Amino acid sequence: MKNLKPFVMLTIIAVSSTGVAHDRNEGPAVVPDTERQTVADKKVQGPTKNKGIRSVTPLGAIGLGEDLPALHDRQLRARVLVIEPGGVVAVHEHQQRPGVAYILEGSIVEHREGSPKPLLRGKGAVSFEKTGVIHWWENRSNSIVRALVVDIVPEEKK
């Protein structure tokens, strides 16, 4: 966490001016619809709808093209996701959206394709996600879960 502090400070300074899309039935958007559609097409087991997502708070984003020209249309973004007790982040497959989730508070159960059993991720745990990772999260505890989620996504046009 010590090495993460400068990054978090930088992303807070570079706060994105765009909001988070909302789905009337599921609360704030967590993952792109296309990532949920691919698992539906593959008939992957897992919940198909988010539930109990209290908030998705953008901390900021940085365009990557200046430092890495091959990534001219991508940005590094940081968000804090809060999941209520009993909450779920629906099953999805990462597609050119590498990311890292760092659990700030609580504990979450991650169901990851290829893992023989669910993974319990408590405070201080990290989940690395790259293209092809199929997974979903559920909060089986009686407490909220807060996670810092940092990923690379298409740059938002202004």
Side-chain angles (χ1 to χ4, degrees):
M1 182 68 176
K2 188 176 184 182
N3 293 334
L4 191 58
K5 286 182 182 178
F7 171 75
V8 173
M9 293 300 287
L10 183 59
T11 57
I12 290 171
I13 291 168
V15 174
S16 172
S17 62
T18 58
V20 175
H22 291 268
D23 181 309
R24 274 183 255 139
N25 299 322
E26 298 182 40
V30 180
V31 300
D33 288 339
T34 56
E35 292 186 1
R36 291 171 48 180
Q37 187 59 51
T38 59
V39 294
D41 294 345
K42 293 178 180 182
K43 299 186 182 353
V44 174
Q45 296 297 309
T48 59
K49 295 189 180 213
N50 296 333
K51 115 178 154 175
I53 307 300
R54 179 187 289 182
S55 62
V56 178
T57 305
L59 297 178
I62 299 170
L64 296 173
E66 187 175 319
D67 293 317
L68 304 165
L71 298 177
H72 71 278
D73 60 345
R74 309 292 277 176
Q75 67 182 11
L76 181 67
R77 72 172 175 186
R79 306 175 292 161
V80 172
L81 173 64
V82 179
I83 305 168
E84 298 283 348
V88 168
V89 174
V91 64
H92 59 282
E93 179 178 18
H94 283 253
Q95 300 172 347
Q96 297 183 2
R97 186 175 63 89
V100 177
Y102 178 81
I103 307 304
L104 299 165
E105 178 182 349
S107 63
I108 195 87
V109 175
E110 180 184 8
H111 301 267
R112 187 179 281 231
E113 190 170 86
S115 180
K117 61 183 180 178
L119 305 164
L120 180 62
R121 305 227 188 250
K123 182 178 178 178
V126 177
S127 176
F128 289 90
E129 304 156 350
K130 64 179 187 169
T131 294
V133 167
I134 297 174
H135 67 144
W136 60 280
W137 285 6
E138 68 175 321
N139 182 354
R140 292 181 179 171
S141 77
N142 293 321
S143 303
I144 65 162
V145 172
R146 284 187 329 112
L148 172 64
V149 179
V150 179
D151 54 3
I152 296 175
V153 296
E155 194 160 28
E156 292 182 11
K157 305 297 179 202
K158 294 179 181 173

